Amino acid sequence: SLFRLSDLPADRRGQNARPMLQTSKYKSQIPTPPTGSVWSFQTVQTLIGLAFAIPLDYFNAELYLRKALNFNSENGMGLALAIAALVSQLVMLPGMNGLIRAREEQKVGQPIHHPAPGELASEDDRMLFLYKLRAFENVVEWLPVFIIHAVALVALGKTGTCVLLCVPYTIGKFMFAYGYGSGESDKRIPGLIVSDFLGLLVMRGICIIALVQHCITSAR
């Protein structure tokens, strides 16, 4: 079960509990997984990714996607990786632009990265800057995970599928950066749903299917 302040002994609540950081406009929020545990939530996410990946594999969507994209054995891998490489740069632009504008508007010069209380004109300015900074940081943090999944799909011969899943991933990360950068944590969730549940988690599912199929074939 999730920890609650009421679970603390009365004499310890005042010592250990601190109010969440907030201002007149913005407030911070603890990103507790809906299931209460990162492990269980990742399991649920993996099952959702598999639910999308299994039909793609069963109906052999890869063949239709390659034909639609005009991919062949000579150009498919290179083109798919080129698209994934461009996506890895493209998804950073909304957050990067928002962060640069925030530096200009809130007067946060380099090399200051996490302004301390009192360093900006107001706490509202500081909180909004931190929101935009976190939006950009989060996108960058997940880029290596996206890139290695994209490379894995291409190596598995799923070039068309890789390109297809780059689309919701890109759209979702744009939505995420603009939503999170607005100063409301909940507005990041629609972008996460699109980028993860329709993009990255499906990539994860395809990787799992490939490994299971290999194990079954090797055991015969």
Side-chain angles (χ1 to χ4, degrees):
S1 60
L2 294 176
F3 172 82
R4 294 172 299 180
L5 180 60
S6 58
D7 295 333
L8 281 174
D11 61 340
R12 291 180 57 199
R13 292 176 195 168
Q15 297 176 9
N16 294 301
R18 292 186 301 170
M20 296 293 292
L21 179 62
Q22 60 183 4
T23 68
S24 58
K25 291 184 179 180
Y26 311 106
K27 64 178 181 179
S28 57
Q29 180 176 326
I30 297 175
T32 306
T35 59
S37 163
V38 171
W39 291 101
S40 60
F41 188 50
Q42 283 296 319
T43 300
V44 171
Q45 287 182 307
T46 298
L47 292 174
I48 293 173
L50 282 168
F52 285 100
I54 289 173
L56 288 174
D57 183 74
Y58 181 80
F59 292 106
N60 205 3
E62 177 63 26
L63 291 178
Y64 300 98
L65 291 168
R66 284 187 204 168
K67 185 176 181 180
L69 294 166
N70 198 26
F71 282 3
N72 56 48
S73 59
E74 294 182 355
N75 67 12
M77 293 182 66
L79 290 172
L81 287 175
I83 291 171
L86 291 172
V87 166
S88 69
Q89 298 177 61
L90 182 62
V91 296
M92 290 193 293
L93 294 182
M96 186 185 299
N97 181 65
L99 181 57
I100 291 173
R101 289 178 62 88
R103 284 191 178 280
E104 295 173 348
E105 293 170 0
Q106 274 79 53
K107 310 301 181 187
V108 183
Q110 294 282 18
I112 296 173
H113 202 52
H114 293 84
E119 288 188 347
L120 301 188
S122 69
E123 277 298 281
D124 283 339
D125 283 348
R126 188 172 82 93
M127 281 292 289
L128 182 58
F129 178 81
L130 292 174
Y131 264 107
K132 293 183 182 296
L133 174 62
R134 187 66 199 124
F136 176 66
E137 286 178 338
N138 191 278
V139 172
V140 174
E141 287 167 2
W142 280 93
L143 272 181
V145 181
F146 162 75
I147 292 170
I148 196 63
H149 276 75
V151 171
L153 260 63
V154 171
L156 290 168
K158 305 288 187 180
T159 54
T161 305
C162 176
V163 172
L164 172 68
L165 297 178
C166 281
V167 176
Y169 187 82
T170 303
I171 294 172
K173 288 304 179 184
F174 269 61
M175 294 169 60
F176 174 88
Y178 287 123
Y180 207 175
S182 69
E184 293 186 40
S185 294
D186 289 342
K187 288 187 176 180
R188 78 194 194 284
I189 295 176
L192 284 175
I193 292 174
V194 175
S195 67
D196 290 7
F197 288 83
L198 301 180
L200 186 59
L201 291 173
V202 185
M203 290 182 170
R204 180 192 296 181
I206 292 171
C207 290
I208 293 172
I209 290 172
L211 288 171
V212 171
Q213 289 174 339
H214 173 72
C215 291
I216 293 173
T217 302
S218 300
R220 290 176 180 174

